[in-house]
Amino acid sequence: MMTEPLFDTMAIIGPGLIGSSIMRAARQQNAVRQIVASARSAETRQRVVELGIADKVVETNAEAVEGADLVIVCAPVGVCGTIAEEIAPHLKPGAIVSDVGSVKTSIVRDMGPHLPDSVHFVPAHPVAGTEHSGPDAGFAELFDGRWCILTPPEGTDDEAVKRLAAFWALFGAHVEIMTPDHHDLVLAVTSHLPHLIAYTIVGTADELETVTRSEVLKFSAGGFRDFTRIAASDPVMWRDVFLNNKDAVLEMLGRFNEDVAALTKAIRRGDGEALEQHFIRTRAIRRGVIEAGQDTATPDFGRPHGHED
Ligand code: NAP
C-alpha cells in the first residue's frame, strides 16, 4: 500500500463494472483520498451507497467533478461526448480527465473538443473485463496483470500522462501508450471481432431448425459454451463499440471473411494438410497468450468471470 495517495479527489462517472472496480482498487491501494461517484439512475446511486464504495454519491455529473483532481468517465462510449460537454464548465483547472472506453478514436473526437485547455485529457482503456455489468459486478483485482492502454492526444502534458500511468500501475496493470487509431486497429482484431463472432455463432445456433435449443445447451461444452459467455456481454456497450470502431472492424471482418473462405475451400476439397497447418499455427498463438500471462491453461480462464475487452 502507498503512503501518500496519488490524487486528492477522484470522480467516477458511471460506477458500473469498470467504474466500481476502479473505486474498489483505488480504496484498496490508497490511490486517492476521496471518491465521488455519479450515476444516471437512482437505483445505481443507491446501490453504490449501500456497497459503501464511494465517500460521496451525487446526482449530477457536474456536481461530481467539482473540485476533483482526477475525473474518469466510465459510461458507454456513445455517451462520453455528451458527458464531456456537461462536465466541462465545472472541471477544476489542472485536473486530469480520462475515460475507460473500449474505442479510442471516437472518444478523442467526441470528448476532446468540449474540454477546456486548463485540464489534461488522457484517454485510457483498461483491457480487462467480464460479461457482467453494474456496481455489484466490480472487484478490486480486475486490472491486476492486465494492460491499460493510454492514448493521449498530441501535445498532452507528459507529467499528466505519467501520473495516470502511475495510478493504473498501482492496480497491478501494465501500461502502454498508443495512438488512438492504432489502439482501435489492435482491439478490432483482439476484442471486437471475437465478440462479433461470438454474437453471430450464438445467434446462428439459436436459429437452427434441425438441432433443438435443448441439444445446443446440453452439448455446449463442445466449444459453444465459451462463445455464450462472450455473447452475454453488455448489449449497449457493444452496440457502441461497433458503431464507433466501424472502419477498423470492417477491415478486420474483411480479412476474417477471406480466411473463412480459405478454410471453407480446404474442407470442401478435403485438404487435410491445409487444415492441420492452420490449426498448428493457431495452437502456437494460444501458447503465446498463456506465456504472455494473459490467460491460464485451465478452462474458464482461472479467474472470476475473466475475459478481455
Ligand atoms: P456498465 O457496468 O453497464 O456500467 C456503465 C455505467 O455507465 C453505469 O453506471 C451507467 O449508469 C452509466 N451510464 C450508462 N448510460 C449512461 C448515460 N447515457 N449517461 C450517463 N451514464 C450512463 O458498463 P461497463 O462494463 O463498466 O462499461 C463502461 C465502459 O467501460 C464502456 O465504455 C466500455 O466500453 C468500457 N470497458 C468495458 C469493459 C467490459 O468488459 N465490460 C472492459 C473495458 C472497458 P446506470 O447504472 O445508472 O445505468
Side-chain angles (χ1 to χ4, degrees):
M1 186 182 274
M2 284 198 39
T3 44
E4 270 302 297
L6 271 175
F7 293 92
D8 196 68
T9 302
M10 171 178 77
I12 293 289
I13 297 177
L17 166 71
I18 302 296
S20 76
S21 294
I22 295 174
M23 290 155 76
R24 288 174 169 99
R27 269 266 173 88
Q28 195 183 74
Q29 299 303 324
N30 194 32
V32 302
R33 235 181 276 280
Q34 197 193 187
I35 302 173
V36 183
S38 62
R40 177 180 55 164
S41 68
E43 288 92 320
T44 299
R45 291 197 295 271
Q46 176 61 26
R47 194 60 198 132
V48 172
V49 171
E50 285 162 6
L51 289 167
I53 51 178
D55 298 292
K56 210 163 126 192
V57 180
V58 295
E59 263 188 45
T60 66
N61 301 332
E63 215 181 321
V65 305
E66 296 272 5
D69 309 285
L70 173 63
V71 174
I72 309 183
V73 179
C74 302
V77 169
V79 294
C80 289
T82 314
I83 292 174
E85 190 176 4
E86 187 189 341
I87 61 174
H90 307 274
L91 292 166
K92 178 179 167 181
I96 293 178
V97 179
S98 190
D99 75 305
V100 293
S102 308
V103 180
K104 299 273 55 106
T105 313
S106 70
I107 286 285
V108 172
R109 181 197 65 206
D110 297 346
M111 288 184 72
H114 296 296
L115 301 174
D117 291 342
S118 58
V119 303
H120 307 292
F121 179 37
V122 188
H125 176 204
V127 188
T130 78
E131 69 277 27
H132 302 289
S133 308
D136 283 281
F139 53 101
E141 299 75 22
L142 178 63
F143 312 110
D144 191 13
R146 300 305 191 208
W147 286 92
C148 182
I149 303 171
L150 306 184
T151 63
E154 252 183 53
T156 307
D157 178 46
D158 260 0
E159 278 312 306
V161 177
K162 279 190 195 145
R163 254 182 110 195
L164 193 66
F167 174 81
W168 280 103
L170 277 181
F171 306 160
H174 311 297
V175 178
E176 182 135 331
I177 294 173
M178 280 183 197
T179 64
D181 284 359
H182 191 64
H183 166 280
D184 288 358
L185 210 53
V186 171
L187 270 290
V189 72
T190 56
S191 170
H192 307 168
L193 186 60
H195 275 78
L196 194 70
I197 293 167
Y199 281 124
T200 312
I201 198 167
V202 172
T204 304
D206 192 48
E207 282 158 22
L208 289 177
E209 282 142 21
T210 47
V211 180
T212 64
R213 182 182 276 203
S214 67
E215 282 174 313
V216 169
L217 299 179
K218 188 167 155 189
F219 301 113
S220 63
F224 184 71
R225 182 188 60 186
D226 293 342
F227 285 107
T228 60
R229 188 177 47 72
I230 297 178
S233 300
D234 189 67
V236 172
M237 169 191 153
W238 283 96
R239 176 202 66 193
D240 283 3
V241 167
F242 292 115
L243 292 180
N244 286 282
N245 199 19
K246 184 173 159 181
D247 293 344
V249 169
L250 289 178
E251 161 72 20
M252 293 304 164
L253 205 50
R255 288 167 184 251
F256 175 76
N257 285 333
E258 285 170 18
D259 292 344
V260 169
L263 287 177
T264 309
K265 200 161 140 191
I267 293 170
R268 187 178 296 117
R269 291 184 172 174
D271 186 350
E273 177 63 17
L275 292 172
E276 195 180 334
Q277 284 309 317
H278 188 90
F279 302 156
I280 287 170
R281 191 157 59 89
T282 56
R283 174 180 265 190
I285 293 169
R286 168 72 188 159
R287 287 204 196 100
V289 169
I290 294 168
E291 278 161 26
Q294 295 304 298
D295 205 348
T296 66
T298 52
D300 292 329
F301 303 79
R303 288 163 59 89
H305 330 293
H307 78 270
E308 318 276 304
D309 289 321

